[in-house]
Amino acid sequence: MISIEGLSKIFRLNQKQITAVDNLDLTIQDGEIFGVIGYSGAGKSTLIRLLNRLEEPTSGKITIGEQEITALSKDKLRVARQNIGMIFQHFNLLWSRTVSENIAFPLEIAGVSVEEREKRVNELIDLVGLSGRENAYPSQLSGGQKQRVGIARALANNPKVLLCDEATSALDPETTNSILDLLVDINERLGLTIILITHEMHVIRKICNRVAVMENGKIVEKGEVLDVFLKPKQPVTKKFVEQVMGNQDGDLEQLLVDHTTGELVRLHFVGESANQALISNISKEFNIEVNILQGKITQTKLGAYGTLIVQINGEQNEVKNTIHFIKEKTSVEVEVLAHA
Ligand SMILES: Nc1ncnc2c1ncn2[C@@H]1O[C@H](COP(=O)(O)OP(=O)(O)OP(=O)(O)O)[C@@H](O)[C@H]1O
Ligand SMILES: [Mg+2]
C-alpha cells in the first residue's frame, strides 16, 4: 500500500510562493492501476516526483509498503528507489547508448554482475516486445518503441511500483493503445502497482481501476473509474468525462421540448448490464413502445457503462409498470426526466 498524508510542496520563485501540492491525502492499494488526472499546472508531475523524492516535500509523509520514504536518508533512498520505476513523456533515454545498454543502465548502478545483467536485459527486451532491436540507438526507434525501452529500463530492478508521468502523451492514438496494453500486461503479470498521471480521460477509462482528479494541488474527487464516469460531481471532472462521452445532456432541453408524450427517462447502465437486452426485454414484456433518443455506452476496465435517454410511450399504467420493473428487477438505474 502507498499512503500519502498531508503532503505539500511549495516552490519559492523570486518572492513568490507556488503551492504545487497542497496538503494532499491519498491511499493507493497494492496491484492497482491508479490514475491521476488534471489540467496543466494542477500539480500532477510534482505529486508523482514527490513519491520517489525527485522533489523534496515541504511537509507530509509518504509510505510505500513498510518504508516511510519521507524519513529515509539519501543512501537508504537510493536503495528504496530501486523499488520505484518511473517512465516519462519524453522517454529520457540515453542517446549514445543502444536499447540494451539503456536497459542495462539501472542494473549497472545497482551493481548487478555482467552475466546477470545480460540475462535480465534479454528478459526485459522480450517482455516489452523489442526483440531484434537490441542494438538500435534511440534515434533509430519510433516513439512507441522508445517508450518500450523506457518501460523496460524502469522495470529492470523488479520494482514494486511504476510511476508514469504522461507516458503516452507524445504518442499517436494507436501507439498509445499498444503502450497502455503493455502496462496492463505488466500490471497483471508482475502484480506491480502503477500510478499514472495524464490529462487524457480515455487513458483513465482504458486501464485504470481508480482515479483521482487533481486541481490546484488538491484532489477534488476520487473513486472507482466507473463511478466517476457515471456520476462526476465536480465541474472539472464533468469536463474530463465529456472528453470521452461528449456532453450527454447537451440536447436535453431540446429533447424535453420535442418529446411531450409518454415518459422521458434516463437509464444508467453500469457494468455487464450495459447492453440492449433491457430495451428488447421491456418491449416484449410490456405493451409499450421505446424510442432511444440519445446516449452513449462505452467500455471501461470493469465493464461497460453509459446512459441512454429513452421515451416510453403507452398506456399510463403500463408505462408505470415498465419503470417499476426496471427499477426493481434490473441493475439499470432509472431517472425520470419528464412525463406527460
Ligand atoms: N521547479 C519548480 N519551480 C517553481 N515552480 C514549479 C516548479 N515545478 C513546478 N512548478 C509549478 O507548480 C505547479 C504545478 O506544476 P506541475 O508540473 O506539477 O503541473 P502538472 O499538473 O504536471 O502540469 P502539466 O500537465 O502541464 O505537466 C505549476 O504552477 C508550476 O509552475
Ligand atoms: Mg506534468
Side-chain angles (χ1 to χ4, degrees):
M1 195 173 85
I2 299 173
S3 120
I4 300 169
E5 292 167 67
L7 187 66
S8 291
K9 175 67 185 183
I10 300 171
F11 290 109
R12 285 168 227 281
L13 253 188
N14 306 322
Q15 302 299 331
K16 267 183 64 185
Q17 287 198 352
I18 299 167
T19 306
V21 173
D22 191 0
N23 194 20
L24 187 145
D25 298 312
L26 184 64
T27 308
I28 294 166
Q29 303 304 326
D30 287 340
E32 77 174 322
I33 304 185
F34 192 95
V36 177
I37 191 164
Y39 287 115
S40 186
K44 308 180 297 294
S45 293
T46 307
L47 170 63
I48 213 164
R49 291 164 58 82
L50 286 167
L51 292 180
N52 56 5
R53 278 176 59 193
L54 280 180
E55 216 60 87
E56 285 295 338
T58 306
S59 59
K61 184 170 155 186
I62 299 165
T63 314
I64 299 182
E66 301 288 285
Q67 223 159 18
E68 188 182 334
I69 297 294
T70 34
L72 297 177
S73 65
K74 287 276 173 213
D75 280 346
K76 292 223 168 98
L77 177 63
R78 209 165 298 137
V79 179
R81 275 189 185 148
Q82 293 180 6
N83 276 323
I84 314 171
M86 188 161 183
I87 57 175
F88 307 87
Q89 178 174 1
H90 297 294
F91 323 120
N92 291 17
L93 303 179
L94 297 164
W95 300 96
S96 60
R97 285 178 160 233
T98 63
V99 167
S100 289
E101 290 164 352
N102 264 284
I103 300 171
F105 187 60
L107 297 167
E108 288 168 35
I109 293 183
V112 175
S113 71
V114 178
E115 302 93 77
E116 282 218 20
R117 241 156 45 201
E118 215 166 283
K119 187 164 154 265
R120 181 78 186 127
V121 167
N122 286 333
E123 279 169 16
L124 288 159
I125 284 182
D126 224 30
L127 180 73
V128 300
L130 279 176
S131 299
R133 304 310 304 270
E134 294 84 346
N135 299 316
Y137 286 90
S139 61
Q140 299 169 320
L141 300 176
S142 70
Q145 289 168 333
K146 283 180 204 151
Q147 196 56 290
R148 285 172 192 271
V149 180
I151 292 171
R153 181 187 56 185
L155 296 178
N157 286 310
N158 290 307
K160 297 194 175 60
V161 178
L162 179 65
L163 308 175
C164 311
D165 188 348
E166 303 275 3
T168 57
S169 298
L171 306 175
D172 64 54
E174 206 159 311
T175 312
T176 291
N177 277 333
S178 72
I179 294 295
L180 294 178
D181 287 342
L182 176 61
L183 290 177
V184 171
D185 183 50
I186 287 166
N187 165 257
E188 286 170 358
R189 269 211 261 177
L190 311 178
L192 98 179
T193 310
I194 298 182
I195 303 173
L196 169 157
I197 69 174
T198 180
H199 59 274
E200 296 175 306
M201 200 62 175
H202 72 91
V203 169
I204 302 280
R205 171 188 76 78
K206 188 152 197 271
I207 73 166
C208 293
N209 305 105
R210 289 195 302 147
V211 60
V213 183
M214 209 172 162
E215 200 177 25
N216 298 324
K218 291 181 190 294
I219 288 173
V220 294
E221 188 162 356
K222 66 165 187 280
E224 299 278 341
V225 170
L226 210 55
D227 291 341
V228 170
F229 261 93
L230 211 56
K231 300 228 169 83
K233 293 184 189 76
Q234 300 296 325
V236 57
T237 315
K238 288 181 181 158
K239 277 199 187 159
F240 279 120
V241 172
E242 275 174 30
Q243 276 183 2
V244 174
M245 297 301 283
N247 185 344
Q248 296 260 314
D249 285 348
D251 305 325
L252 187 58
E253 276 178 30
Q254 196 57 45
L255 284 179
L256 291 172
V257 172
D258 291 345
H259 300 276
T260 50
T261 63
E263 202 99 7
L264 209 60
V265 300
R266 190 194 273 122
L267 304 174
H268 292 281
F269 293 81
V270 192
E272 71 274 52
S273 64
N275 57 42
Q276 298 288 327
L278 175 83
I279 305 293
S280 60
N281 281 351
I282 57 174
S283 308
K284 268 186 246 153
E285 287 288 322
F286 299 93
N287 190 17
I288 47 143
E289 205 176 87
V290 185
N291 288 326
I292 298 175
L293 302 178
Q294 174 174 307
K296 185 164 177 181
I297 305 279
T298 192
Q299 301 294 323
T300 74
K301 228 187 159 206
L302 288 179
Y305 84 95
T307 63
L308 291 181
I309 295 179
V310 301
Q311 181 189 29
I312 306 178
N313 281 321
E315 199 236 311
Q316 204 179 1
N317 219 26
E318 202 65 6
V319 173
K320 209 176 111 203
N321 288 341
T322 307
I323 290 172
H324 184 77
F325 169 83
I326 303 173
K327 277 186 181 156
E328 298 300 319
K329 301 281 186 234
T330 76
S331 59
V332 178
E333 265 183 58
V334 195
E335 200 182 328
V336 176
L337 299 171
H339 52 113

